[in-house]
Amino acid sequence: MSSDRALERRNFLKATGSAAAAAAFAGCSGDGGDQGNDTGTQTGSGDFSTELKQEGDLWRVLSGTITTLDPIEATDTSSGILIQQMFDPLMNYPDGLPTVEGLMAADYSVSDDFLTYEFQLADAQFHDGSDVTASDFAYAFERLAASENSSRAYFILDSLGVTHETTTETVDGEEEEVYEPGTLGVEAVDESTLRIELSEPFHASLEMLAYTAFSPIPEGTIGDVEGYDGEVEQDEFATSNPIGNGPFEFDDWESGTEARVGAFDDYYGEGPNVDGVHWAVIEDDTARYNYLMNRNADIAENFPTAQYDPSKVSVENEDEYGRQTGTYGDVRNGATMNYAAVADIGVYYLGFNMDRVEKPIRQAVAYALNQHTVVEQIFKQRGEPAYNFTPPSIFPGGAENYRSRAENEYPYGYGETQMDQARSVMEEAGYSDSERASVELTIYESEVWSNTASILRDQLQSAYVDLEVNQAPFNTLLERGRNGELQMYSLGWVADWPAPDNFLQLLNPPQTDTSMDFPVSYLNWNSETGDAAGQAADAYQTVLDNSAPTDEDRSAREDAYVEIENANWEDVAMLPVYHQLSEVFWYDHVDIEPFGGMGPSRQMMNDVSVGDRE
């Protein structure tokens, strides 16, 4: 795999008009696990349609607003949760676990050079009664690559690397190579056989194809790609008439209030075992908690921190995927709820524009930050301190190796604040009480990051660093980052696919140049900052050059992953802070398998059962 392919990503995004959306949400996250509070307006907390309150439904709560039901357009978790119930791609993460299995793919084969994949499709129907064919997949993949409504074009053109041709277009006054519609290396061999051609081997091909953006829709439904007039407008499809092939079909969606899907009786797979799934959309923490305590919901994720008591957690088991299960309670209504928790495959961090914040200051911040304190004091232990950028469950050697490496090798103090070292590194750089450094930290609107910033600001005072903390809306922060206007900032990254390179691409120095149209991060990490930048760039090139799904390539990648982590420790380009813990709480009448580290948006509800409610 060439480095050119990785660096062309910005061109594909720009060509499809999805750069902003992809930068904001395709991995990059603003959900920092906000703490709840005891007061607030009850947003979307009532007026649900009584006609939809069926006894056989599974009732859930969503904390975020649904934006679209079109798989290629969705970028937010709440939309993804609904889409996962209505659309089946080729592969699937069972219950959100970081391992893939066939879904619409009844079988598949791979060529010896790992460039050709052939999938035999399951015998399935769409919700409109038509058969699912390979041509429907080919059409849906073309929409993903070429539609102006696609927010995930880089998934198929860059990450997966399906073969295609490009053409030269003038974009914002500049000539760029962009995807030429109709040239995608996807072929319907016959009605039930789909062939996909890749430009280079990619070790996570099957993992990428588990994303719902790769789901089929009936060929020609929407006319937003060449060669199709369309039967419905994209806006209608995305809001009131999504036609999928999943275990549930669309029933109702009232923006900001509720959504419901009903069981699809002709589903080709197992279940569904409930009549439908009904979500109440409640953004206010207290209102969401009250809704659950009043037993209006059967299950909910992540109690607001203000209502959370860690002493009520009783963990009884932990499986090989790190899922902890047990009980929580008693809760306010007297019940003891079932409880499960798993560390997200994600990381939240402080990043530095290295052109604007010199290395001694970055090191002083690292010495001052105690990741354990953040998790214990701000999250009530609902997280894991982060010392590597790669999450523990996908770190080379696994979570045990992650923690051992952090405890024994992290250079800025494992589980402690080292203010003597922070002052020393600043004094060596010429700073003192009379010659202080000033740094602006921009955080998105989050109480978690506000509290973390306050701790850091107080600590850094004694290390001759005056930290100015400003808040900005999430999208504003991203725009300023892309323009190179930030000094220090808070962000997070959650997995598009469960492999370290999905995270460490943010630490590939050539892709961090904010003078580019689409930097993947805002570091401006280059050779002028020291030898570590070259080490990271060389190691990431090793990742690209060893991308095949073989043991030999995997071994080379794993060595390179650790080299990138070491380079980041040396230069403090990004300072990992925590890995968020996702929890789920449910009443005894619900029989459900807890989701894994890929999160609730990857979990299907077809095998969930609901018994008699008390």
Side-chain angles (χ1 to χ4, degrees), residues 28 64 193 410 417 467 569:
C28 185
T193 307
Y410 185 65
T417 295
L467 191 66
W569 280 359

Side-chain angles (χ1 to χ4, degrees), residues 119-275:
F119 295 90
Q120 298 299 316
L121 303 183
D123 184 10
Q125 288 185 332
F126 286 112
H127 300 155
D128 65 359
S130 62
D131 292 335
V132 180
T133 70
S135 294
D136 298 315
F137 271 97
Y139 161 73
F141 284 17
E142 179 68 16
R143 286 193 71 230
L144 179 60
S147 170
E148 63 181 6
N149 297 301
S150 177
S151 298
R152 304 292 197 184
Y154 77 91
F155 275 12
I156 191 167
L157 298 173
D158 176 39
S159 298
L160 184 57
V162 174
T163 59
H164 59 275
E165 296 179 11
T166 60
T167 186
T168 302
E169 291 186 4
T170 301
V171 182
D172 294 337
E174 298 180 6
E175 287 192 351
E176 295 185 355
E177 293 295 314
V178 299
Y179 170 64
E180 182 176 342
T183 64
L184 201 60
V186 177
E187 177 187 359
V189 178
D190 53 43
E191 286 196 353
S192 61
T193 307
L194 182 72
R195 179 181 297 150
I196 301 174
E197 300 284 352
L198 305 185
S199 58
E200 301 283 349
F202 180 44
H203 63 91
S205 295
L206 299 178
E207 286 82 354
M208 284 301 305
L209 291 169
Y211 215 100
T212 51
F214 289 92
S215 298
I217 68 172
E219 184 178 6
T221 299
I222 305 169
D224 55 356
V225 291
E226 290 184 9
Y228 296 96
D229 294 330
E231 299 173 6
V232 300
E233 296 294 325
Q234 189 272 341
D235 182 66
E236 178 185 344
F237 181 90
T239 58
S240 60
N241 191 25
I243 304 170
N245 60 324
F248 297 92
E249 57 186 327
F250 177 77
D251 196 323
D252 182 75
W253 170 29
E254 184 176 342
S255 181
T257 301
E258 64 182 346
R260 183 181 183 272
V261 296
F264 180 46
D265 292 336
D266 294 322
Y267 183 57
Y268 67 98
E270 296 182 5
N273 299 326
V274 293
D275 294 338

